[in-house]
Amino acid sequence: MAYKKLIYEIEYTRAAERFFRAHENVRGQYEDAIRELLTGEHPEKINVKRIKGKRNEYYRIRLGEWRVIYGIINRKIVVITTLLAGSRGDVYKKMDGLR
């Protein structure tokens, strides 16, 4: 099956950028996951779920013990916030502070 080549841009909030500066290997995993979702042959291998409740416009990708929360805006992938999920509940608790 041929896939249409998609144009996308990944933007980072300050909080996400700060996290990724400290965890470059996770940035690489995240960017690879986004690329696979948008242009890959097996996007179903990526562990993505839509956030439930009042934040249902956001998605999360699971990368081992980390979670990356992002939203899609006009063909752009926008990282909203990125947090440690060692205690995965922390990610969702901190989402309450998002606007």
Side-chain angles (χ1 to χ4, degrees), residues 32-34 36-37 42-48 61-63:
D32 290 346
I34 292 296
E36 180 65 27
L37 280 173
H42 300 287
E44 67 278 0
K45 291 182 178 181
I46 307 301
N47 189 337
V48 175
I61 292 181
R62 180 177 177 210
L63 300 169

Side-chain angles (χ1 to χ4, degrees), residues 52-87:
K52 294 180 181 179
K54 61 184 175 184
R55 299 287 184 198
N56 67 356
E57 71 271 21
Y58 300 132
Y59 299 85
R60 74 100 176 112
I61 292 181
R62 180 177 177 210
L63 300 169
E65 65 184 61
W66 307 100
R67 303 295 186 274
V68 179
I69 308 299
Y70 70 95
I72 301 174
I73 301 171
N74 297 330
R75 291 189 167 190
K76 291 185 178 183
I77 303 299
V78 181
V79 177
I80 304 303
T81 188
T82 307
L83 303 164
L84 171 66
S87 154

